[in-house]
Amino acid sequence: ETGVTQTPRHLVMGMTNKKSLKCEQHLGHNAMYWYKQSAKKPLELMFVYNFKEQTENNSVPSRFSPECPNSSHLFLHLHTLQPEDSALYLCASSQEGGAGNTIYFGEGSWLTVV
Amino acid sequence: AQKVTQAQTEISVVEKEDVTLDCVYETRDTTYYLFWYKQPPSGELVFLIRRNSFDEQNEISGRYSWNFQKSTSSFNFTITASQVVDSAVYFCALSEDDYKLSFGAGTTVTVRA
């Protein structure tokens, strides 16, 4: 069983919908991340939370809104997305948000925007 | 500029063959960390190895081995006696002075029975 679980695994949404991706880590880590993986593009870091505080927003459009209520849970709220936002969204965690910490990933949420 | 280059886009081998995945990185830091991850079709990125810049010893874990050479800024990965279950996309990544991981574009390995 993976230490980082994501739900839903697959999501299809219209451009006017509001949906959320959920992530939970069972590793006792203090840092959590959202990454985006599009076809034929390198993995892109979106957001970082360290001890529940957002420490990185990598110029992500406001239609993506993260929420980190505690060190174990991370959400990505989605609103008025575009078809080009279709991608695999990966949640991850690490012991802390410092250099060299091993980052452990979940299985991802496959998002399709129609 | 690309910090991590994985020049091989796809590699196809027959079962039991060895396969070596190349990774070349670029950094000005003296302290950095290198990683390899495996991504099977299910999507999850599975952590394989972490190596810091001060440890140039090669490492072997079962059928996996890694060759770290600072002189050529390379961190290559070899799968010995490949199996069908090794079919996946493999990513090399670099961590410098912060928590960000710079990933290479990935190498797709297909092992045919």
Side-chain angles (χ1 to χ4, degrees), chain A residues 17-58:
Chain A
N17 290 160
K18 284 185 181 180
K19 296 285 184 183
S20 296
L21 305 181
K22 178 184 175 182
C23 176
E24 181 176 1
Q25 59 96 359
H26 314 276
L27 301 168
H29 289 165
N30 296 299
M32 295 189 77
Y33 310 76
W34 280 115
Y35 278 83
K36 176 183 178 183
Q37 187 177 25
S38 306
K40 301 184 180 180
K41 279 188 177 181
L43 278 115
E44 303 172 63
L45 177 64
M46 299 176 71
F47 300 104
V48 181
Y49 279 82
N50 200 18
F51 292 92
K52 300 190 299 179
E53 299 296 319
Q54 186 181 122
T55 54
E56 178 77 16
N57 177 338
N58 197 21

Side-chain angles (χ1 to χ4, degrees), chain B residues 10-112:
Chain B
E10 296 183 29
I11 298 176
S12 182
V13 297
V14 177
E15 223 173 4
K16 297 185 183 178
E17 287 185 356
D18 296 349
V19 55
T20 295
L21 310 180
D22 298 333
C23 173
V24 174
Y25 61 91
E26 182 181 331
T27 180
R28 294 182 178 179
D29 291 352
T30 54
T31 302
Y32 53 89
Y33 301 83
L34 295 161
F35 300 81
W36 275 96
Y37 286 87
K38 172 184 179 181
Q39 188 176 38
S42 61
E44 180 185 3
L45 274 164
V46 178
F47 165 72
L48 296 178
I49 189 171
R50 168 184 177 273
R51 176 54 52 87
N52 74 55
S53 53
F54 298 106
D55 182 2
E56 287 193 72
Q57 275 195 327
N58 292 329
E59 182 158 340
I60 298 175
S61 176
R63 295 184 297 105
Y64 295 169
S65 62
W66 291 269
N67 183 352
F68 178 29
Q69 292 196 338
K70 287 177 76 170
S71 60
T72 56
S73 297
S74 65
F75 187 43
N76 297 337
F77 171 36
T78 298
I79 303 172
T80 303
S82 60
Q83 300 176 1
V84 172
V85 293
D86 296 326
S87 297
V89 183
Y90 291 85
F91 291 94
C92 181
L94 167 71
S95 171
E96 297 172 283
D97 61 355
D98 57 22
Y99 45 77
K100 298 178 187 178
L101 270 182
S102 299
F103 282 89
T107 299
T108 301
V109 173
T110 303
V111 181
R112 307 185 309 276

